[in-house]
Amino acid sequence: MQLLLFNAFNGLIQGVFYALMALGLALILSLNSVINMAHGGFLVIGAYLAYTLSPYLGFWGALIVGPLLAGVIGLVVERGLIRPIYKRSDPLYSLLLTFGLALIIEDLTRTIWGAQGLPLEVPDIINSPVSETYFFITGYRLFVIGITAAASIGLYLLLRYTLLGIRIRAGTRDLETTAALGVNIYKLRALNFGFGCLFAGLAGVLAAGVLGLTPPMGNSLIMPSFVAIIIGGVGSLFGAVLGGLLIGLAAGIVTTYYPAASEAVIYLMMLIVLAVRPRGLLGEEGLFE
Amino acid sequence: MKRAAPIAAMWIALIALPWWLPLIGGYTELGSKVLIYAIATMGLNLVLGFTGGLSFGQAAYFGLGGYGAGMTLKYLVPSTPLAILVGTVVGGLAATILGPLVMRRRGIYFAMITIAIGQLFYFVIVRWNEFTGGEDGLAGFGRQPIHFGKFVVPLNDINFYYLVLLCFTLAVAVMWTLLQSPLGHTWVAIRENRRRMQFLGVRPERYVWASFAIAGFITAFAGTLNALLFNFTSPQDLHWILSGDFVIMIVLGGMRSFFGPLVGVIIFVVAQDYLSSLTSNWMTFIGLIFVLIVLLFPRGVFGIFERRTKIA
């Protein structure tokens, strides 16, 4: 029982990272119509920048500045590379472009910071176990869950109640009409891309505290995030979060009984969802069909 | 008939390759690798370029073919033709079975699902290490001489190259025939206007499925040859990085042209071979190739010369 709880909780934490990644991916997917293959790259950028800055700013400063810088770099990339290809109707090109970016970011990270894993120091205050029986529930892990919840709720409030959020949602529905109503959709899409990358960066910093830093760390997180979106349903941000948590939890539980299948299980779940409910748990019917 | 001359010239060059490639600093395995990747990408291009389905997980079937062939040789029978057959069927069937899950989807979503499905096979191969060798890859098998009655052909590097060339010719003939058939024309029509085909009473899903399945078989076929070429296969042969490489090779050569992928493969494989011997940062350069092709040459090498988009 202890072991099951241990693995389930580990899985949940992993799921939190998937959820954060998937949230950013889904944002970019819905308004920018881009599958951001470089999303793992932005995660790595956020994490390594936080690592580099933490001696100067402390953990807390790095936690804020790392993701923000990832977001700013996202803005620059959107402006320089992605904006020129919006007009191409074939999604192939943005896919290939971000794929290339992912290779470049991974390689440069390895060149700058080295291939060896690096640890991100987490303050003792939040790093001690909360209870002795459940030693695996460290303060840091609860903190990760808390921050993710806060970020998700923050994003929800932003999309629901601010003018910017309303415009983003309108653009997701019908970009042309939104543009015709006088919204600068270029700025809107750029900001949205930046937000998505900010979430990737946040996932990176938080994940670095648990898993440590390695150049390919983004690669191992991006595929499950795709699965999270497919299971949760394309077009639904809440679905992406739900999907992420679900697959993390499932992987954790399977680890207890049959560790070799812990990765494969999330892809099997995806196949089942696709077969039974092709639009995903919370997805809209008819999207991309 | 004006295309007959360049195509004949191409085949003559391919037949003579073991003589001229070493003269310009290449080696026969590189020639085999180019032809193998050409089979894989031309197969993938049936879905990508001709049916308009963004299949981004094709390496899975390539790798499955490789593992199918390798495991047949290692555990079942020491026969090269059987290994090729088993590997092709394993990879092709996987694509056929999964086809219905992707065939209704379009554009970005098609891409996402095909990538994610590819990862399933990746993890199965990595974790099933008793039989597959796990992360280290599958070794300990070798291609066997081919017997024609009493006549035995040993598969040294040169002979194996000719086997690959034979397979390439066969695959090209099959794909060319398919694209000239009503099936091939329907694929192109679906790519151009899916809704209109529905109005005409065609069920596009079925044709997309057929395209995906056939591409799966052909890619798996290439995968078996790839495993035999190196007498080794590794999880990297199923990884989505390789899937992305396949797609960029196709775009590089020109996805609307039949032989486009071959040109893309030649450029990409040679560039990769050269860059990786030159610098440890070759991944950055490959990434730059991706970015530059997308921004500057979206129609590929053939697109620069032929402005019209020609079909087959």
Side-chain angles (χ1 to χ4, degrees), chain A residues 29 33 35 37 88 91-93 95-96 99-100 107 111 219 223 234 260 263 267 270-271 274 278 288-289, chain B residues 54 56 101 104-106 108-109 112 115-116 119 123 127 240-241 244 247 255 281 283-284 287 290 294 298:
Chain A
L29 183 65
S33 305
I35 300 183
M37 295 293 286
R88 297 200 197 140
L92 173 70
Y93 295 107
L95 198 57
L96 288 174
F99 187 96
D107 199 42
T111 310
N219 275 350
M223 285 299 147
V234 171
E263 289 114 341
Y267 300 98
M270 177 190 74
L271 292 189
L274 280 176
F288 292 114
E289 272 189 32
Chain B
L54 250 178
F56 221 85
L101 295 181
R104 279 172 217 286
R105 303 295 163 166
R106 305 185 65 179
I108 299 182
Y109 205 26
M112 255 170 67
I115 301 174
Q119 284 299 98
F123 283 114
R127 293 293 167 211
W240 54 272
I241 301 267
V247 176
M255 56 193 280
N281 284 104
M283 246 173 93
T284 300
F290 273 71
V294 169

Side-chain angles (χ1 to χ4, degrees), chain B residues 57-69 72 83-99 117 121 125 212-224 238:
Chain B
Q58 205 68 20
Y61 311 106
F62 185 79
L64 278 181
Y67 274 92
T72 304
I84 293 176
L85 183 72
V86 172
T88 307
V89 169
V90 168
L93 275 186
T96 311
I97 293 167
L98 292 167
I117 288 178
F121 296 113
I125 294 289
F212 190 73
I214 293 171
F217 275 101
I218 295 173
T219 329
F221 181 54
T224 64
L238 293 101

Side-chain angles (χ1 to χ4, degrees), chain A residues 29 33-35 37 80-81 84-85 88 90-97 99-104 106-108 110-111 219 222-223 226-227 229-230 233-234 259-265 267-268 270-271 274-275 278-280 287-289, chain B residues 48 54 56 98 101-102 104-113 115-117 119-120 123-124 127-128 194 239-245 247-248 251 255-256 280-288 290-299:
Chain A
L29 183 65
S33 305
V34 168
I35 300 183
M37 295 293 286
L81 297 174
I85 58 169
R88 297 200 197 140
D90 198 336
L92 173 70
Y93 295 107
S94 58
L95 198 57
L96 288 174
L97 184 97
F99 187 96
L101 272 179
L103 295 182
I104 296 174
E106 188 187 330
D107 199 42
L108 290 185
R110 194 176 289 127
T111 310
N219 275 350
I222 191 168
M223 285 299 147
F226 280 177
V227 176
I229 292 177
I230 295 170
V234 171
S262 62
E263 289 114 341
V265 70
Y267 300 98
L268 281 174
M270 177 190 74
L271 292 189
L274 280 176
R279 61 178 150 134
L287 218 59
F288 292 114
E289 272 189 32
Chain B
L48 191 76
L54 250 178
F56 221 85
L98 292 167
L101 295 181
V102 299
R104 279 172 217 286
R105 303 295 163 166
R106 305 185 65 179
I108 299 182
Y109 205 26
F110 192 99
M112 255 170 67
I113 293 177
I115 301 174
I117 288 178
Q119 284 299 98
L120 172 65
F123 283 114
V124 169
R127 293 293 167 211
W128 196 29
R194 188 173 177 129
H239 201 268
W240 54 272
I241 301 267
L242 183 62
S243 299
D245 288 348
V247 176
I248 200 72
V251 174
M255 56 193 280
R256 294 288 185 263
S280 59
N281 284 104
W282 59 276
M283 246 173 93
T284 300
F285 288 96
I286 297 289
L288 280 176
F290 273 71
V291 172
L292 292 177
I293 290 169
V294 169
L295 292 178
L296 306 177
F297 309 110
R299 284 155 165 274

Side-chain angles (χ1 to χ4, degrees), chain A residues 7-284:
Chain A
N7 283 321
F9 189 71
N10 272 347
L12 188 68
I13 295 296
Q14 200 75 25
V16 165
F17 301 140
Y18 298 156
L20 265 181
M21 278 283 274
L23 201 54
L25 269 173
L27 259 182
I28 295 173
L29 183 65
S30 56
L31 184 64
N32 300 66
S33 305
V34 168
I35 300 183
N36 187 13
M37 295 293 286
H39 212 61
F42 288 105
L43 175 142
V44 169
I45 289 177
Y48 272 92
L49 286 179
Y51 169 81
T52 307
L53 292 173
S54 64
Y56 309 105
L57 303 173
F59 174 78
W60 304 101
L63 179 65
I64 296 169
V65 176
L68 275 179
L69 284 178
V72 169
I73 294 173
L75 279 177
V76 174
V77 165
E78 197 273 350
R79 183 69 189 84
L81 297 174
I82 310 229
R83 190 179 293 185
I85 58 169
Y86 279 139
K87 57 181 180 291
R88 297 200 197 140
S89 55
D90 198 336
L92 173 70
Y93 295 107
S94 58
L95 198 57
L96 288 174
L97 184 97
T98 51
F99 187 96
L101 272 179
L103 295 182
I104 296 174
I105 294 174
E106 188 187 330
D107 199 42
L108 290 185
T109 314
R110 194 176 289 127
T111 310
I112 298 172
W113 283 283
Q116 268 83 34
L118 299 168
L120 180 69
E121 296 295 333
V122 175
D124 288 336
I125 264 193
I126 50 169
N127 211 14
S128 50
V130 174
S131 90
E132 281 189 11
T133 351
Y134 301 107
F135 63 95
F136 46 85
I137 307 184
T138 61
Y140 183 67
R141 294 178 171 205
L142 294 179
F143 172 74
V144 166
I145 297 178
I147 291 281
T148 305
S152 311
I153 293 169
L155 180 67
Y156 173 77
L157 294 177
L158 176 96
L159 290 176
R160 188 83 180 75
Y161 294 109
T162 66
L163 186 60
L164 176 68
I166 290 167
R167 284 177 171 168
I168 288 180
R169 283 189 296 139
T172 307
R173 288 271 157 212
D174 188 338
L175 201 59
E176 267 177 46
T177 311
T178 312
L181 289 171
V183 176
N184 183 343
I185 56 166
Y186 285 106
K187 225 183 243 169
L188 195 68
R189 281 179 143 185
L191 270 177
N192 188 64
F193 196 88
F195 271 128
C197 296
L198 192 149
F199 272 84
L202 182 63
V205 185
L206 292 176
V210 180
L211 313 167
L213 296 125
T214 54
M217 68 189 282
N219 275 350
S220 56
L221 287 168
I222 191 168
M223 285 299 147
S225 319
F226 280 177
V227 176
I229 292 177
I230 295 170
I231 289 183
V234 171
S236 163
L237 294 182
F238 185 63
V241 175
L242 183 71
L245 296 178
L246 270 180
I247 57 172
L249 206 55
I253 291 170
V254 169
T255 306
T256 318
Y257 300 104
Y258 191 53
S262 62
E263 289 114 341
V265 70
I266 63 175
Y267 300 98
L268 281 174
M269 272 172 76
M270 177 190 74
L271 292 189
I272 294 170
V273 168
L274 280 176
V276 179
R277 195 179 159 86
R279 61 178 150 134
L281 298 176
L282 302 172
E284 287 170 53

